[in-house]
Amino acid sequence: MTVALWGQCVALLENELSPQQYNTWIRPLQAIMDENCLRVLSPNRFVQEYVESNFRSRINEMLGQMCDSTPPTLRFEVGSLPAANAEPEQAPRKPTSSDNQDKQSSLRSRDRSISTNPDCTFDNFVEGKSNQLARAASVQVAENPGSSYNPLFIYGGVGLGKTHLMHAIGNRIQQHNPKARVVYLHSERFVADMVKALQHNTINEFKRHYRTVDALLIDDIQFFAGKERSQEEFFHTFNALLEGQRQVILTSDRYPKEVKGLEERLKSRFGWGLTVAIEPPELETRVAILMSKAAQTKTELPHEVAFFIAKRIRSNIRELEGALRRVIANAHFTGEPITLDFAKQALRDLLALQAKQVTLENIQKTTAEYYKIRVADLLSKRRNRSIARPRQVAMSLAKELTSHSLPEIGDAFGGRDHTTVLHACKKVAELKGTDQMINEDYENLLRILTT
Amino acid sequence: MSLGQQLPLAIGLRDSATLANFLPGENAPLCHALQQDSHPFIYLWGEGGCGKSHLLQAACHREESQGGRAIWLPLGELLGHGPGLLEGMEQMDLVCIDELEQVASSSEWQQGLFHLYNRLRDSGHRLIGAGNAAPAALGLTLPDLISRLGWGPVFQVQALDDGQKAEALRLRAEGRGMSMPAEVANYLLTHGPRDMHRLFALLERIDRHSLIEQRRLTIPFVRRLLAP
């Protein structure tokens, strides 16, 4: 009866409301019949309050019209039906207050989100110059948890594999000691759990839980910024774990001392163990990553296609994966094998977008900003090294990233001859091999311009 | 007498957005991807009126028809509620976030979305995002969110050409039980609005009037409705 009754209400509401209102407020609701009470379940209190204040009277009216006898009473709650059971009336959930529902659902989802992901291992982590050190340190920690480097602090830009390494350590620890309690969580989860524990008066249980694990892995600790109470609690958890020789592993987008909004005592403790960086992967590693990801999904990826994608997506591994997934999605749709032309066609919006961003003007502006000089300097006749080197770098970038001819590039750089551009390209290629600084500058600029 | 008074009750019939009533045109690979459950994350982008909101709502419709629970969140209208609105959304099997460009100036919303993204990943549930530009060009300031938006396949929603627009109009009219001759569809395209949003809104108006006046769709009839 519930399904039919609620189903009818929903069908009527779909007709009466705008698609926006229906898809946002009505579609996510679930309903369950408890004796003569129709309980309408919302994903959170915001939705519950909105639905209750905007649709209660209309739903009541509908129920009145649909039922011959006394219509059921209506109650709005936060919660959801057990996922495994699609038939609402067969599995009524015991808790009735929204608080309990909230607590229950948070506990259910927490269980899933505090374990490590078995898919992330050292075996499928592609090693390159950019992540060698971080990987070696991680293996070391995984083999000797609590005794080699504690804490292990891995930092680097987004999408470079920090979380993968973290999970790999956790998985290896559990492989060696299946009884080890390894807890992985995002810093936001730690904060949310603590707030809930305070609300439900279970803070002692919370403390005990986190202070007795064998390894605590917290991702993206920069999101602790400004959350003083959580920082304090984490500080004590951290000390307790270190004293008990339990392993702590942390990741962040930057070096501990540079994380803003974090207490000094935390920053200094984060540096007690080993701090390692992960850099953006170089071309060869990007190719290897693509080949490995393709193999994991049993996709036949020709080397030249991997090279083509890797050459164009330089920013991070996540976007590299995104591009590969786009190519695979098209291949699944058409049933065609992946060739270079196929990949170019599948990624044409992405490449067109890059091409649009990479104009000669943009290269000049970005290079000038990077070297803290003016665009006018790049275009001027000045030949001192602080200007000439950035100019050569910019010309070389223009040759690599645009389809402009050498004379066109020369023209755009203050009317220079095409041989000057050619010389610049040769010089930069040579310097990249001998001067680490120039190489880094060039790679950084490539990334900025193509992200 | 007002229009509403003349109409029978059942007139409020709406075109619910489904994948079946979306003309794929160049977007066939995207429509195919939206019918797979294998992509945990998909991002689509394109200019206004190209069909993003339709596709997101269609994805919700599909999820629900398979017994899942889904929600569509058009951020433009929801910003005022604050990012707290995203709490607990990881319970949904599918969350569709529309108009992501709207959070460019709110770091709180961006963080909220980033955390939701992580929670959905941990729960094994899916997210489809949409905006008016590719992830890196949305003007977002949280790199963590930008990179996550590009983790799954990213599709640019290609606008329909005129022939496809006429076909989409006829398809939509058919769904409403109207027969739209080709010349009427072409007339609407040359004299009516250009984007599909407004064209479909016009179609809804034409449908109402054709029911009230008991008229078939002819050029003189729609010409009169188009007159200012």
Side-chain angles (χ1 to χ4, degrees):
Chain A
M1 150 136 170
T2 320
V3 183
L5 205 57
W6 176 244
Q8 284 179 49
C9 289
V10 168
L12 284 170
L13 287 168
E14 184 174 11
N15 266 344
E16 290 177 9
L17 303 176
S18 69
Q20 191 269 319
Q21 280 189 310
Y22 176 76
N23 283 303
T24 306
W25 304 112
I26 306 298
R27 209 188 269 283
L29 304 178
Q30 289 179 321
I32 191 167
M33 197 65 144
D34 237 355
E35 290 168 10
N36 199 35
C37 176
L38 183 67
R39 289 164 53 198
V40 177
L41 308 177
S42 304
N44 63 34
R45 65 196 163 88
F46 293 92
V47 176
Q48 181 215 315
E49 282 163 17
Y50 187 92
V51 171
E52 189 163 3
S53 59
N54 288 279
F55 307 120
R56 176 188 267 278
S57 59
R58 181 64 190 122
I59 297 174
N60 256 329
E61 203 176 87
M62 289 173 180
L63 291 175
Q65 286 163 357
M66 282 173 214
C67 299
D68 296 333
S69 52
T70 320
T73 53
L74 200 52
R75 198 162 67 211
F76 293 88
E77 297 171 8
V78 172
S80 60
L81 295 169
N85 203 323
E87 286 300 317
E89 71 256 87
Q90 289 174 9
R93 277 253 304 274
K94 268 284 162 239
T96 48
S97 81
S98 61
D99 254 14
N100 276 343
Q101 292 265 354
D102 202 18
K103 200 171 157 185
Q104 279 251 333
S105 68
S106 86
L107 286 175
R108 277 192 300 139
S109 58
R110 192 180 69 184
D111 288 338
R112 282 196 296 267
S113 64
I114 58 172
S115 50
T116 53
N117 178 355
D119 294 340
C120 299
T121 62
F122 286 119
D123 293 339
N124 62 16
F125 184 86
V126 178
E127 191 179 337
K129 238 165 55 186
S130 55
N131 57 32
Q132 231 164 20
L133 190 61
R135 187 185 184 280
S138 299
V139 171
Q140 183 75 13
V141 165
E143 300 294 338
N144 312 288
S147 54
S148 50
Y149 306 118
N150 210 5
L152 174 65
F153 192 102
I154 307 170
Y155 74 96
V158 294
L160 299 182
K162 303 186 292 289
T163 306
H164 186 132
L165 271 182
M166 208 180 208
H167 282 289
I169 300 171
N171 288 329
R172 177 71 63 90
I173 293 175
Q174 273 178 326
Q175 205 181 331
H176 289 329
N177 175 12
K179 285 189 183 148
R181 286 181 57 215
V182 176
V183 168
Y184 161 85
L185 74 169
H186 195 267
S187 58
E188 187 237 3
R189 183 84 243 171
F190 186 87
V191 175
D193 277 3
M194 197 193 73
V195 171
K196 283 217 173 86
L198 288 170
Q199 278 170 355
H200 297 126
N201 224 2
T202 53
I203 191 73
N204 287 331
E205 195 187 308
F206 172 87
K207 288 180 180 174
R208 206 168 33 248
H209 175 75
Y210 285 110
R211 292 182 193 182
T212 54
V213 298
D214 295 305
L216 181 62
L217 288 51
I218 300 201
D219 215 350
D220 284 331
I221 54 101
Q222 71 271 22
F223 289 103
F224 273 148
K227 301 188 173 78
E228 284 149 27
R229 181 75 178 82
S230 300
Q231 286 186 32
E232 187 177 341
E233 183 47 46
F234 181 67
F235 176 74
H236 296 302
T237 305
F238 183 91
N239 289 339
L241 291 172
L242 251 60
E243 272 168 31
Q245 289 197 309
R246 320 285 178 117
Q247 183 65 46
V248 176
I249 305 161
L250 306 164
T251 71
S252 168
D253 64 345
R254 64 201 70 186
Y255 191 70
K257 296 251 182 266
E258 289 168 14
V259 181
K260 287 190 192 116
L262 220 54
E263 282 182 42
E264 277 310 317
R265 57 178 183 172
L266 269 180
K267 288 188 197 177
S268 80
R269 270 167 176 73
F270 289 165
W272 278 1
L274 179 68
T275 300
V276 281
I278 296 196
E279 300 289 340
E282 59 283 10
L283 179 67
E284 295 77 4
T285 312
R286 295 201 297 274
V287 173
I289 289 170
L290 284 168
M291 299 302 285
S292 153
K293 298 277 176 199
Q296 280 169 39
T297 54
K298 299 188 172 48
T299 303
E300 188 98 9
L301 184 73
H303 192 269
E304 54 169 2
V305 177
F307 189 81
F308 169 78
I309 300 174
K311 192 114 197 323
R312 273 148 190 87
I313 314 282
R314 300 175 177 88
S315 51
N316 61 58
I317 299 163
R318 219 172 261 136
E319 277 165 40
L320 207 57
E321 263 186 83
L324 177 65
R325 286 193 174 125
R326 176 65 209 271
V327 174
I328 294 175
N330 273 33
H332 282 171
F333 171 66
T334 58
E336 288 174 41
I338 298 172
T339 61
L340 190 55
D341 282 343
F342 184 89
K344 280 182 182 167
Q345 177 66 14
L347 296 176
R348 69 184 193 283
D349 358 311
L350 190 83
L351 301 177
L353 203 72
Q354 275 191 356
K356 216 160 108 187
Q357 284 164 352
V358 188
T359 58
L360 289 174
E361 290 76 23
N362 199 9
I363 291 172
Q364 289 169 345
K365 187 170 153 276
T366 309
T367 312
E369 273 168 15
Y370 185 88
Y371 285 107
K372 298 186 174 55
I373 57 175
R374 295 175 306 144
V375 174
D377 292 330
L378 280 183
L379 311 187
S380 70
K381 302 280 175 220
R382 293 173 60 190
R383 291 170 64 179
N384 50 320
R385 177 150 322 166
S386 64
I387 304 292
R389 200 62 92 218
R391 186 185 295 131
Q392 286 173 328
V393 167
M395 285 179 173
S396 184
L397 285 164
K399 182 77 194 84
E400 178 164 353
L401 294 176
T402 72
S403 51
H404 288 290
S405 63
L406 294 175
E408 280 170 343
I409 296 172
D411 258 359
F413 280 81
R416 289 181 155 78
D417 192 71
H418 76 277
T419 52
T420 312
V421 182
L422 196 62
H423 172 73
C425 295
K426 281 185 182 157
K427 187 76 194 164
V428 170
E430 178 196 317
L431 286 170
K432 271 163 66 188
T434 55
D435 185 335
Q436 184 59 23
M437 191 89 118
I438 293 271
N439 189 37
E440 233 168 70
D441 289 347
Y442 193 86
E443 291 299 322
N444 286 341
L445 279 163
L446 265 181
R447 244 191 323 278
I448 297 168
L449 286 163
T450 54
T451 298
Chain B
M1 194 184 284
S2 77
L3 192 67
Q5 284 169 316
Q6 295 177 26
L7 297 176
L9 272 175
I11 222 69
L13 179 75
R14 297 191 175 274
D15 310 302
S16 56
T18 63
L19 288 169
N21 67 10
F22 183 82
L23 189 78
E26 299 278 305
N27 302 303
L30 164 60
C31 292
H32 178 76
L34 291 173
Q35 292 177 61
Q36 316 297 311
D37 296 323
S38 50
H39 299 295
F41 305 109
I42 294 179
Y43 180 79
L44 41 115
W45 63 278
E47 57 194 34
C50 67
K52 301 185 294 290
S53 301
H54 181 113
L55 287 169
L56 293 192
Q57 292 177 70
C60 289
H61 185 273
R62 178 184 173 274
E63 183 65 39
E64 203 180 58
S65 66
Q66 296 192 327
R69 203 175 174 198
I71 190 167
W72 175 56
L73 298 170
L75 296 180
E77 303 191 30
L78 301 172
L79 281 187
H81 292 271
L85 184 65
L86 304 174
E87 276 173 24
M89 287 296 174
E90 64 277 12
Q91 300 166 50
M92 299 285 125
D93 298 286
L94 171 68
V95 177
C96 290
I97 312 243
D98 208 351
E99 303 169 19
L100 272 155
E101 68 277 7
Q102 296 285 342
V103 298
S105 54
S106 166
S107 55
E108 280 187 358
W109 264 99
Q110 290 180 44
Q111 272 204 30
L113 288 163
F114 165 67
H115 294 319
L116 172 63
Y117 197 100
N118 291 329
R119 295 198 304 268
L120 281 164
R121 185 195 55 195
D122 290 341
S123 327
H125 293 161
R126 300 185 300 130
L127 182 139
I128 304 177
N132 66 1
L138 282 170
L140 303 179
T141 47
L142 186 63
D144 311 66
L145 178 61
I146 299 170
S147 83
R148 272 162 183 80
L149 292 175
W151 202 351
V154 174
F155 293 90
Q156 180 176 8
V157 185
Q158 307 290 341
L160 301 178
D161 63 28
D162 277 4
Q164 292 163 333
K165 279 182 184 172
E167 203 183 327
L169 268 178
R170 284 204 302 276
L171 187 74
R172 188 61 71 95
E174 207 172 277
R176 291 178 154 260
M178 287 186 284
S179 156
M180 179 178 282
E183 66 268 21
V184 173
N186 290 336
Y187 184 86
L188 288 176
L189 281 177
T190 41
H191 295 81
R194 297 295 301 161
D195 70 280
M196 292 312 289
H197 266 319
R198 286 160 63 212
L199 268 173
F200 285 147
L202 174 63
L203 187 70
E204 203 175 313
R205 209 172 120 230
I206 292 173
D207 187 20
R208 274 207 313 270
H209 282 268
S210 104
L211 272 170
I212 298 165
E213 299 176 29
Q214 298 289 309
R215 292 276 307 268
R216 281 188 297 117
L217 302 192
T218 59
I219 290 182
F221 175 65
V222 298
R223 184 191 295 135
R224 187 161 55 76
L225 288 183
L226 277 173

